[in-house]
Amino acid sequence: MFQNYSFTVKDRFIRYAEIDTQSDPQSKTIPSTEKQKNLGILLVSELSAMGITDAHLDPYGYVYATIPSNTNKSVPVICFCAHMDTSPDCSGKNVRPVIHPNYQGNEIVLPEDESQVLTPTEHPYLKEKIGEDIITASGTTLLGADDKAGIAIIMDMVHYLVNHPDLLHGNLKILFTPDEEIGRGVDKLDMDKLGADFGYTLDAGELGTFEDETFSADSVTIHFYGVSSHPGYAKDKMINAIKVASHFIDSLPKDELSPESTDGRYGFVHPVRIEGLAEKITVEWIIRDFLTTKLAAYENYLRDKLEATLKKFPGAKADFQVREQYRNMKEVLDQYPQITAHAKEAIESSGIVFKKSSARGGTDGSRLSFMGLPCPNIFTGEMAFHGKHEYVSVQDMQKAVETIVRLSNIWEEKS
Ligand SMILES: [Zn+2]
């Protein structure tokens, strides 16, 4: 199927990576940064040039497009989705992708900052990539393979399908979202316009990886209220909220229940922001676990600790607010086993070992799954994301293109 196909994914990836699409959590606009639309405009023009007549960018920065069905069968509408923005954690300006052809297992020194070195010890997956073509950033920025690898893979799938009209598939929807990295990737998504039954995000890492599970997530905000007073005359009057909050945070265990002390299936409570004065301190938390029921248990644990703290500071007050963020997509996906079964078949028929895994985080898919679009996550090859050491293998991206082309066809075959 692919012996004579000239993949376009590498050139596309480089073209997309060079466009600055960093999102901004402090921004109130939608999309959070207008520059994300620059990539959206390019993608629409490339889709239109390939003959996709309905491709468009909406005012919120979403790209929608349809590859029309070429079969008489009634096939579920499948959406392929990737995000256009890059992480606010690392500069995305003047990204200059560097290709390291036929990689030989050596350390990779990034040319624009030679103190930035990718070593196979730090990045053991590199040892599996010998003989492949590795793309890195140049040393001063991230690469943006998260998630421009996913975008380039989907675009190459479109290219393949429009050039192989004999390969049967149902209606396929293409969706590129802004602001995934700041948790707003589906805020303005028009589900009716999208009109898809099931989806796949292209935003996972190693070759063959398939994520059908994410964390469930809440946020907690705790306000601590003290009593302020002139410090020279504060005896028996002042209650310093800074000290109350500090005591509370310090009362939490050091060797469990935190991101720095857990991995695998373990969840955590994690303070992410603290702000205020002696009179009032606000501490924001994120609460994470694969089991949604455990979130309430963690929250009750925090409430108990908070109560114990307040007992030590008579007169101090606090309030405790919980907000739902997203839920483990597996709760939805388990109801539609064919989504995983077809992906497994597509990955294996591409000659790849199927590796089911869980994301210790959320994806657009975790929210989409609960909005009515069950949506697991497929590998792209993107690695070490959100930093200057980010890299991606060209061959991994090509295998992902092959996988989703086959997947489109499998949905038609099984219908
Ligand atoms: Zn991503």
Side-chain angles (χ1 to χ4, degrees):
M1 240 169 118
F2 288 86
Q3 287 87 335
N4 299 317
Y5 180 62
S6 299
F7 285 95
T8 62
V9 68
K10 178 178 92 177
D11 294 341
R12 289 182 191 281
F13 173 73
I14 289 168
R15 197 155 62 233
Y16 307 154
E18 285 171 346
I19 299 172
D20 179 3
T21 57
Q22 190 179 50
S23 49
D24 174 7
Q26 304 306 325
S27 165
K28 300 263 185 279
T29 63
I30 305 169
S32 68
T33 53
E34 196 64 18
K35 62 190 175 187
Q36 295 180 63
K37 288 185 179 172
N38 295 336
L39 176 56
I41 290 165
L42 174 67
L43 293 169
V44 167
S45 79
E46 292 187 3
L47 286 163
S48 304
M50 287 193 279
I52 305 299
T53 51
D54 70 344
H56 67 282
L57 174 71
D58 81 358
Y60 304 118
Y62 291 75
V63 173
Y64 297 83
T66 311
I67 312 176
S69 168
N70 61 1
T71 176
N72 297 325
K73 287 187 187 172
S74 158
V75 183
V77 179
I78 303 300
C79 172
F80 292 98
C81 172
H83 65 89
M84 293 183 283
D85 64 318
T86 63
S87 168
D89 297 345
C90 183
S91 171
K93 199 174 178 167
N94 298 324
V95 173
R96 272 187 274 278
V98 182
I99 304 171
H100 309 268
N102 191 16
Y103 173 66
Q104 288 303 312
N106 46 293
E107 296 188 342
I108 300 175
V109 180
L110 301 183
E112 287 176 12
D113 178 357
E114 293 186 352
S115 72
Q116 298 293 337
V117 183
L118 279 77
T119 67
T121 320
E122 250 178 86
H123 302 283
Y125 184 63
L126 278 175
K127 294 178 197 161
E128 298 175 32
K129 300 289 104 186
I130 290 170
E132 300 187 6
D133 306 321
I134 303 297
I135 305 178
T136 66
S138 61
T140 57
T141 66
L142 50 61
L143 176 63
D146 174 11
D147 188 23
K148 287 161 183 170
I151 291 180
I153 289 160
I154 293 170
M155 291 294 284
D156 201 5
M157 175 199 75
V158 177
H159 181 258
Y160 185 96
L161 292 177
V162 299
N163 286 290
H164 296 81
D166 45 322
L167 189 80
L168 299 180
H169 57 79
N171 271 321
L172 302 174
K173 296 287 177 174
I174 307 303
L175 174 67
F176 298 131
T177 59
D179 290 338
E180 189 265 1
E181 297 289 3
I182 56 170
R184 301 180 205 161
V186 297
D187 282 7
K188 290 288 173 184
L189 176 60
D190 185 336
M191 293 293 279
D192 292 332
K193 181 160 99 174
L194 184 64
D197 296 303
F198 305 116
Y200 296 92
T201 50
L202 272 287
D203 197 16
E206 295 182 15
L207 181 71
T209 303
F210 178 83
E211 293 171 345
D212 65 343
E213 189 168 27
T214 59
F215 272 149
S216 281
D218 281 350
S219 71
V220 164
T221 303
I222 305 177
H223 300 294
F224 294 87
Y225 301 96
V227 176
S228 74
S229 173
H230 186 292
Y233 307 93
K235 187 165 188 300
D236 301 327
K237 288 193 206 111
M238 180 189 277
I239 303 168
N240 189 336
I242 299 173
K243 292 184 180 171
V244 184
S246 303
H247 182 277
F248 170 70
I249 294 168
D250 196 49
S251 73
L252 296 173
K254 308 289 180 287
D255 52 359
E256 59 175 349
L257 218 61
S258 62
E260 59 271 35
S261 65
T262 53
D263 59 7
R265 302 279 312 164
Y266 292 96
F268 54 76
V269 303
H270 177 44
V272 291
R273 191 154 175 271
I274 184 163
E275 182 183 78
L277 303 162
E279 196 173 19
K280 181 184 172 192
I281 290 287
T282 302
V283 188
E284 289 171 14
W285 301 74
I286 60 171
I287 317 292
R288 299 288 186 265
D289 202 274
F290 289 107
L291 295 175
T292 302
T293 49
K294 279 214 173 166
L295 299 180
Y298 293 155
E299 285 147 20
N300 287 334
Y301 177 81
L302 283 183
R303 283 183 221 266
D304 290 347
K305 288 281 182 190
L306 180 60
E307 213 171 289
T309 296
L310 292 177
K311 279 199 183 120
K312 289 204 152 58
F313 295 87
K317 292 194 178 68
D319 59 42
F320 192 102
Q321 294 160 4
V322 179
R323 197 169 59 85
E324 178 177 323
Q325 290 184 309
Y326 56 84
R327 291 292 176 253
N328 186 345
M329 60 163 101
K330 198 165 193 305
E331 294 168 16
V332 175
L333 291 174
D334 280 350
Q335 300 165 38
Y336 307 96
Q338 68 273 33
I339 302 174
T340 299
H342 295 352
K344 182 170 189 280
E345 183 176 337
I347 288 174
E348 288 174 347
S349 61
S350 305
I352 307 164
V353 178
F354 176 76
K355 291 187 232 162
K356 200 152 132 167
S357 77
S358 307
R360 286 180 61 81
T363 62
D364 272 349
S366 11
R367 286 181 63 198
L368 287 170
S369 293
F370 286 89
M371 288 164 67
L373 186 72
C375 193
N377 194 19
I378 293 179
F379 73 94
T380 64
E382 67 196 44
M383 297 296 293
F385 27 87
H386 299 193
K388 293 175 184 172
H389 288 189
E390 194 181 7
Y391 66 94
V392 66
S393 151
V394 173
Q395 284 73 13
D396 282 358
M397 290 195 289
Q398 292 175 348
K399 276 294 178 188
V401 175
E402 180 174 344
T403 295
I404 60 173
V405 167
R406 290 182 187 276
L407 183 53
S408 308
N409 178 238
I410 288 168
W411 275 99
E412 196 275 344
E413 271 178 9
K414 305 277 174 175
S415 294

